[in-house]
Amino acid sequence: MINDANATEGQATADKDAPLKEDIRLLGRLLGNVLRDREGDDVFAVVETIRQTAVRFRREADASAAEELDGMLKKLTGEQTISVVRAFSYFSHLANIAEDQHHNRRRRAHYLAGSKPQPGSVSFALCKLKQAGVSKKMVDTFFKDALIAPVLTAHPTEVQRKSILDAEHDIARLLAERDLILTPKERATNLHLLHARIAALWQTRMLRYSKLTVADEIENALSYYRITFLRELPGLYDDIEDDIATHYGAELGHGTTSYLQMGSWIGGDRDGNPNVNAATMQHALVRHATTILDFYLDEVHALGAELSVSTLMVDVSPDLQALAEHSPDTSPHRSDEPYRRALIGIYARLAATARHLGGTNILRKEVGPAAPYSDASEFCADLQVLVASLQSHHGSALIKPRLSTLKRAADIFGFHLASLDMRQTSDVHERVLIELFAKSAVEANYGALSEELKQRLLLAELAQPRLLYSPYIAYSDETNSELAILRAAKDIRLRYGARAIRNYIISHTETVSDLLEVLLLQKETGLLRGTFGCADSKLDLMVIPLFETIPDLQRAAQIMETVMALAPVQQLISQQGRLQEVMLGYSDSNKDGGFLTSNWELYKAETHLVTVFARAGVKLRLFHGRGGTVGRGGGPSYEAILAQPPGTVNGQIRLTEQGEIIASKFSNAEIGRRNLELLVAATLEASLMPTAAEGAGAQELTQFEAVMADISERAYRAYRLLVYETPGFTDYFFAATPIAEIAELNLGSRPASRKSTKRIEDLRAIPWGFSWGQCRLLLPGWYGFGSAIGAWIEDAAGPSREQKVATLRAMYRQWPFFATLLSNMDMVLSKTDLAIASRYADLVPDQELRERIFKRIRDEHAATLQCLATVTGQSERLAANPLLARSIMNRFAYLDPLNHLQVELIKRHRTLSQEAGKIDERVHRGIHLSINGVAAGLRNTG
């Protein structure tokens, strides 16, 4: 198997893919050698036979191949099963490394060929903007005012261990080296090291045997900063400045404005996670600060070695000389080297700062004592002294290699690294206030009040100078915990800076009172000060509603219009620069109403919010809670941003990066930089690009939206009919997917369900989508489309069938929203495999239930394929994206066997559990290994 995986597939592919195939064969051969050496020739032969049979099952839909595969898998011993699963899982990971390396290789080839800027690059966006007549001033204003923030979140589908990530990072580095000109000896050494790293990977435990803690999740996220963000983000800023100079002239500048910043939920997201509290939030900031200060210390140390400038050779500025004089370094050997002395002083202050902010392990001890920096701006000011002195004394060439990048990093990351969001569900806020109101004798039963009376009471209480809370009254654990978290946020802002925590997100926002409650809780903990509604009032944390379900999305604009009309709230918004953020949840809306309806309701909510905010004179910033799967709002970020309704971007966008997508996008530094650039380029283009001439006009757009509303209603009914109204569907889902096994896997610190039930309503959207991905149905990403489109076309009412098809095709050509919707669904369908899904359906013990529901899914799948072909004119999947098509096809050789193995292991596990009440740990581990491998192969399952 692993010797020649994919060697004969895609022979007609252009030569440009030859290096990818060579890399996959090389990594496969090395893994095969490790497998032979460690497990023996017999296991290797079994792996190869399973691969070949799985390929035959796929290509020929051969019933005999299915029977042969079943028989082969049943004969595997426990130890053999683990080895086989590990082999395919690791090959899945290695093939991803090869694919990432090839993407980097192709981008470099385009660049070296001197071709035009590539779509998705900032240079390409600037070129388009200039051709469209967008002025220098508009571009400059964009970069001055913009905020683009990817926000890393921890979720129950992040299956990668940090140890595995580190090992794979090393393998990726060695593989990239092979593209360099190496001597035969260097090449042999490289090959030996690759073999050694893969051997070490094979002997490294892939799974966690203990439940992941919030602290573990924090460390996992920080590894991506070390791999990618700390260096690539400042480097991207430099590249963008060069691109601006190329297209608009060198005089255009945006100073040190940090328009691209990182955010995080890890340690601050309490919604449904009882493991997050004040201590975890404080721990998160200690680890953030330690990570960034370790980076600064290393860079300052390296600068000290580089800047050996002597005053015997060149003068320095008075400010630089003064900085050197304040250094604790008094060595006579450096008396003529003021830059080094100044940097030794900066290092000492950074070390003192690190200790002050919680760091305990400074790698290199400073020369002498120094006072810590009070904030990051003081550190930036010292670096600027070095920059200015070099610029004015013939040292400009010495700035670019490291100093300018360090200063840029300090501007971006400060001492906090990333802004930590706080999130809690509205139900918790209400319970806390019920208790505070009752025990302060202000209102005996706040929860029973009507919405109107709640608002009146909350506004009155916000205007009161006194607090509801008393230190002399005993409160419930929940109330004490919630108030402690808010007090910790205040302390964190004082300690690490205002950018450390600046947003408070309310899950399940359903009413205006949900927002007012959080304002009152901020007042109770000193985060809202002054006289509410007056000029002296000061709000520390922006209160951000999260609209998630279909009903929530439908009332979002009305809620925001009402709350922004309140005079005291208007005052607070003015202090925020007339800007207000709103978060939209993609996951729950999809689980609630299906893929098509979720996307349509999100689109409508955004357009209505734009109208409401424009009337209120408030700038709207949308925070997109997108998941990894298309069913949870995933898909290419670049296309998604460009497909946003007009007026919804405007230089302001935040979006979550979740699950396997984090590893896929940011575990390789070069690919990480490219993904960050895609965000900037798309936001720039969506904000400033005039409406394309070939796009839909106002009249056509109105028609398209009317059609979409009709189709959405039909899709909603089809989806709800299956998921929520079909008797036995819940039983089918829990039997035909590995949802129960996923819940047992030590993937994240958050439980898989909000409540201890088997109701679909209570299941989190993340494991819901993850489970459908594992069984290769990916149902949340397409179900309902075929029924809706087919019924609308065949409906006798309205235009003829031919006219309706023509309208749908026009929507696909002219409306970015609809085109992106279909493109994402096309990608999902390319990974969907009903033959493999049928093997999971066989896990359902009730034959009648199995056949009844799987037939409906199969029929809807066929209808969806047919309708998609009718609209796009393409019967082949991913015809418009051959690179992705080849990538997905190449994965099937090692992905399919994992699915077949997973089904067999689940059978064994459930049989043993039900008949003997026992768990075979090897079988259990094999299931979890297969989950890891399938997730890696699909790449966007979280």
Side-chain angles (χ1 to χ4, degrees):
M1 129 170 167
I2 303 185
N3 271 336
D4 62 348
N6 304 321
T8 61
E9 296 185 52
Q11 295 292 329
T13 303
D15 287 342
K16 64 186 179 183
D17 278 349
L20 170 61
K21 294 180 179 179
E22 182 181 338
D23 285 346
I24 289 177
R25 283 196 292 268
L26 170 65
L27 295 176
R29 186 175 70 251
L30 293 174
L31 180 60
N33 292 341
V34 170
L35 185 61
R36 275 198 182 102
D37 179 63
R38 179 66 183 84
E39 310 296 331
D41 289 339
D42 290 346
V43 171
F44 178 87
V46 168
V47 168
E48 172 61 10
T49 305
I50 290 172
R51 184 192 72 84
Q52 290 176 347
T53 310
V55 168
R56 183 153 55 90
F57 177 81
R58 160 171 292 281
R59 288 178 175 169
E60 303 168 15
D62 190 343
S64 65
E67 292 177 8
E68 186 180 335
L69 199 58
D70 265 340
M72 200 182 312
L73 297 177
K74 285 175 181 174
K75 291 177 183 177
L76 291 177
T77 67
E79 287 302 320
Q80 285 179 326
T81 303
I82 294 296
S83 296
V84 172
V85 172
R86 291 184 73 227
F88 283 110
S89 294
Y90 276 125
F91 190 74
S92 174
H93 287 251
L94 293 174
N96 285 346
I97 292 172
E99 189 174 294
D100 288 346
Q101 167 60 13
H102 191 59
H103 286 321
N104 292 337
R105 182 186 292 127
R106 293 303 308 156
R107 277 195 291 274
R108 287 193 297 271
H110 280 297
Y111 182 80
L112 293 173
S115 56
K116 295 179 180 178
Q118 293 296 301
S121 68
V122 171
S123 181
F124 181 82
L126 289 168
C127 185
K128 285 183 67 176
L129 292 173
K130 189 170 184 182
Q131 290 174 356
V134 175
S135 68
K136 290 181 181 182
K137 184 177 180 181
M138 291 175 68
V139 172
D140 197 23
T141 300
F142 170 88
F143 283 106
K144 178 176 173 291
D145 297 337
L147 176 64
I148 305 161
V151 180
L152 304 189
T153 72
H155 276 290
T157 61
E158 284 183 284
V159 298
Q160 291 272 50
R161 285 184 67 214
K162 184 178 180 298
S163 298
I164 299 296
L165 286 172
D166 291 343
E168 291 179 358
H169 181 251
D170 216 19
I171 292 169
R173 178 185 58 79
L174 289 166
L175 189 64
E177 277 184 8
R178 297 182 68 80
D179 281 356
L180 304 175
I181 299 174
L182 302 176
T183 66
K185 185 173 182 179
E186 289 171 336
R187 202 161 189 81
T189 299
N190 174 278
L191 188 63
H192 173 78
L193 289 173
L194 265 176
H195 182 269
R197 296 297 181 270
I198 291 172
L201 187 66
W202 180 260
Q203 296 179 56
T204 299
R205 175 166 48 85
M206 184 180 279
L207 299 177
R208 304 180 186 96
Y209 289 149
S210 58
K211 186 71 174 175
L212 198 67
T213 66
V214 178
D216 295 327
E217 291 172 335
I218 291 166
E219 292 307 314
N220 282 353
L222 290 176
S223 67
Y224 296 103
Y225 284 86
R226 299 183 189 100
I227 292 169
T228 297
F229 300 126
L230 294 181
R231 296 192 183 279
E232 299 305 325
L233 207 51
L236 177 59
Y237 272 80
D238 290 341
D239 287 351
I240 291 173
E241 280 197 348
D242 292 342
D243 290 337
I244 293 171
T246 298
H247 293 285
Y248 279 99
E251 69 275 9
L252 182 68
H254 45 83
T256 59
T257 302
S258 297
Y259 51 85
L260 179 59
Q261 301 178 28
M262 297 304 300
S264 176
W265 276 13
I266 310 171
D269 179 12
R270 315 192 300 288
D271 181 14
N273 193 341
N275 301 304
V276 175
N277 51 39
T280 55
M281 198 160 70
Q282 289 163 333
H283 177 74
L285 264 297
V286 168
R287 295 302 303 137
H288 284 193
T290 300
T291 298
I292 190 58
L293 283 161
D294 283 349
F295 174 74
Y296 293 155
L297 287 164
D298 286 345
E299 293 299 291
V300 168
H301 176 76
L303 270 173
E306 293 172 4
L307 292 180
S308 56
V309 177
S310 169
T311 51
L312 299 176
M313 307 297 173
V314 65
D315 289 335
V316 298
S317 70
D319 287 343
L320 189 280
Q321 189 63 46
L323 198 59
E325 294 299 331
H326 281 90
S327 170
D329 178 31
T330 58
S331 170
H333 301 297
R334 288 185 290 272
S335 61
D336 66 325
E337 296 175 340
Y339 288 99
R340 280 183 165 169
R341 290 169 57 211
L343 285 162
I344 288 170
I346 291 172
Y347 186 96
R349 294 196 70 184
L350 281 174
T353 305
R355 292 190 185 92
H356 175 67
L357 296 181
T360 57
N361 185 24
I362 308 301
L363 185 60
R364 301 178 190 86
K365 185 171 175 56
E366 61 272 35
V367 168
Y373 287 111
S374 62
D375 56 42
S377 65
E378 288 188 358
F379 172 48
C380 292
D382 280 355
L383 294 178
Q384 181 57 37
V385 169
L386 273 70
V387 170
S389 181
L390 288 169
Q391 285 175 332
S392 59
H393 295 91
H394 314 289
S396 295
L398 302 177
I399 298 171
K400 191 72 169 181
R402 192 183 302 273
L403 178 55
S404 65
T405 301
L406 176 58
K407 185 174 183 305
R408 179 80 74 181
D411 290 330
I412 298 168
F413 301 115
F415 290 157
H416 67 288
L417 185 68
S419 292
L420 182 67
D421 285 355
M422 300 175 69
R423 182 170 79 130
Q424 182 58 286
T425 181
S426 58
D427 295 342
V428 172
H429 302 143
E430 183 175 67
R431 289 198 297 268
V432 170
L433 283 171
I434 286 172
E435 183 171 14
L436 288 177
F437 276 126
K439 291 194 172 181
S440 62
V442 172
E443 170 56 52
N445 195 353
Y446 170 74
L449 297 179
S450 67
E451 172 62 16
E452 181 183 355
L453 290 177
K454 281 183 179 178
Q455 290 181 32
R456 190 180 302 170
L457 175 60
L458 290 165
L459 289 169
E461 193 58 39
L462 280 162
Q464 289 284 351
R466 53 123 178 96
L467 300 179
L468 294 169
Y469 175 83
S470 169
Y472 305 107
I473 296 176
Y475 298 97
S476 66
D477 289 344
E478 181 177 62
T479 294
N480 283 326
S481 177
E482 289 300 307
L483 294 176
I485 288 169
L486 285 160
R487 294 185 190 110
K490 182 175 176 59
D491 292 341
I492 285 168
R493 285 172 58 86
L494 291 172
R495 190 174 181 83
Y496 299 94
R499 287 166 60 194
I501 296 181
R502 48 187 174 179
N503 300 311
Y504 194 113
I505 297 160
I506 309 168
S507 299
H508 305 296
T509 301
E510 299 173 341
T511 60
V512 170
S513 64
D514 289 338
L515 283 83
L516 297 178
E517 284 170 356
V518 175
L519 288 175
L520 182 53
L521 289 173
Q522 288 200 56
K523 175 189 171 228
E524 290 292 314
T525 51
L527 292 162
L528 173 59
R529 300 174 298 282
T531 306
F532 186 58
C534 296
D536 68 331
S537 63
K538 172 64 177 173
L539 179 67
D540 286 347
L541 306 180
M542 182 186 288
V543 177
I544 300 169
L546 167 51
F547 300 107
E548 300 175 86
T549 66
I550 299 296
D552 291 347
L553 291 168
Q554 290 172 342
R555 54 179 169 251
Q558 181 59 54
I559 289 172
M560 294 311 299
E561 185 169 40
T562 302
V563 76
M564 291 191 299
L566 298 172
V569 175
Q570 288 180 13
Q571 177 67 34
L572 295 177
I573 290 175
S574 294
Q575 292 179 6
Q576 295 169 180
R578 302 298 297 168
L579 181 142
Q580 173 63 44
E581 185 172 302
V582 172
M583 185 172 183
L584 302 177
Y586 289 64
S587 306
D588 283 293
S589 59
N590 179 278
K591 186 166 74 74
D592 185 29
F595 165 70
L596 194 145
T597 299
S598 169
N599 277 273
W600 175 237
E601 291 298 337
L602 284 159
Y603 179 94
K604 287 199 302 179
E606 291 182 41
T607 56
H608 293 157
L609 284 167
V610 167
T611 301
V612 164
F613 273 65
R615 279 202 300 262
V618 177
K619 190 170 188 176
L620 170 65
R621 177 166 67 220
L622 286 174
F623 184 5
H624 300 270
R626 307 170 74 236
T629 57
V630 167
R632 294 187 50 242
S637 298
Y638 180 76
E639 289 80 0
I641 293 172
L642 291 181
Q644 292 300 302
T648 58
V649 180
N650 290 333
Q652 300 287 323
I653 190 167
R654 295 207 303 149
L655 67 165
T656 54
E657 298 286 9
Q658 301 177 359
E660 300 311 296
I661 290 299
I662 297 175
S664 176
K665 285 185 174 182
F666 302 118
S667 60
N668 179 289
E670 193 171 343
I671 286 177
R673 185 167 176 153
R674 168 68 171 168
N675 278 300
L676 292 168
E677 183 176 12
L678 284 169
L679 290 179
V680 178
T683 307
L684 176 62
E685 190 173 332
S687 301
L688 299 184
M689 191 70 185
T691 304
E694 64 271 19
Q699 185 174 350
E700 290 168 314
L701 186 58
T702 300
Q703 179 194 7
F704 293 167
E705 290 177 344
V707 171
M708 191 67 203
D710 192 332
I711 292 170
S712 172
E713 181 60 34
R714 297 171 191 267
Y716 179 78
R717 289 199 298 268
Y719 174 84
R720 296 282 303 187
L721 184 62
L722 175 74
V723 174
Y724 294 102
E725 298 170 24
T726 297
F729 180 82
T730 300
D731 293 333
Y732 177 91
F733 169 69
F734 274 87
T737 75
I739 177 62
E741 291 73 20
I742 287 168
E744 297 167 358
L745 186 52
N746 293 310
L747 294 174
S749 65
R750 184 192 304 269
S753 288
R754 289 187 169 90
K755 301 176 183 177
S756 299
T757 74
K758 290 182 69 172
R759 296 173 70 244
I760 301 296
E761 292 88 340
D762 295 330
L763 187 68
R764 291 189 177 281
I766 301 157
W768 162 258
F770 191 62
S771 301
W772 287 115
Q774 287 285 313
C775 73
R776 300 289 289 281
L777 263 180
L778 294 94
L779 181 142
W782 56 268
Y783 195 92
F785 180 85
S787 292
I789 295 289
W792 183 75
I793 290 175
E794 300 301 332
D795 193 333
S800 67
R801 185 185 191 283
E802 291 73 19
Q803 289 174 316
K804 288 179 177 177
V805 170
T807 297
L808 290 169
R809 289 176 175 170
M811 290 166 65
Y812 177 63
R813 289 192 311 271
Q814 300 175 25
W815 193 14
F817 164 77
F818 193 64
T820 300
L821 187 82
L822 267 57
S823 174
N824 285 339
M825 189 172 68
D826 188 22
M827 185 267 287
V828 169
L829 290 167
S830 72
K831 297 181 180 182
T832 301
D833 190 305
L834 260 69
I836 288 177
S838 70
R839 292 180 58 77
Y840 283 85
D842 288 341
L843 294 169
V844 180
D846 185 330
Q847 181 180 351
E848 186 278 330
L849 177 66
R850 175 175 70 240
E851 293 176 352
R852 172 165 52 87
I853 291 185
F854 192 74
K855 181 181 184 302
R856 287 179 60 180
I857 293 172
R858 186 174 58 241
D859 291 347
E860 180 65 22
H861 182 262
T864 296
L865 292 177
Q866 181 179 349
C867 289
L868 183 61
T870 298
V871 176
T872 64
Q874 299 287 349
S875 58
E876 295 294 321
R877 298 283 59 77
L878 296 173
N881 193 343
L883 180 64
L884 181 58
R886 291 196 301 272
S887 168
I888 291 173
M889 183 57 66
N890 285 339
R891 297 177 204 170
F892 288 148
Y894 52 85
L895 189 55
D896 291 357
L898 280 169
N899 285 114
H900 293 295
L901 284 158
Q902 188 178 97
V903 170
E904 173 59 27
L905 287 165
I906 290 173
K907 283 180 185 175
R908 295 185 193 181
H909 172 63
R910 292 180 182 175
T911 299
L912 187 62
S913 176
Q914 290 165 7
E915 293 180 358
K918 297 179 180 178
I919 292 178
D920 184 326
E921 287 301 329
R922 288 176 303 182
V923 172
H924 207 235
R925 185 154 60 99
I927 293 171
H928 292 173
L929 285 165
S930 71
I931 289 171
N932 183 298
V934 171
L938 292 175
R939 301 207 87 174
N940 60 346
T941 63

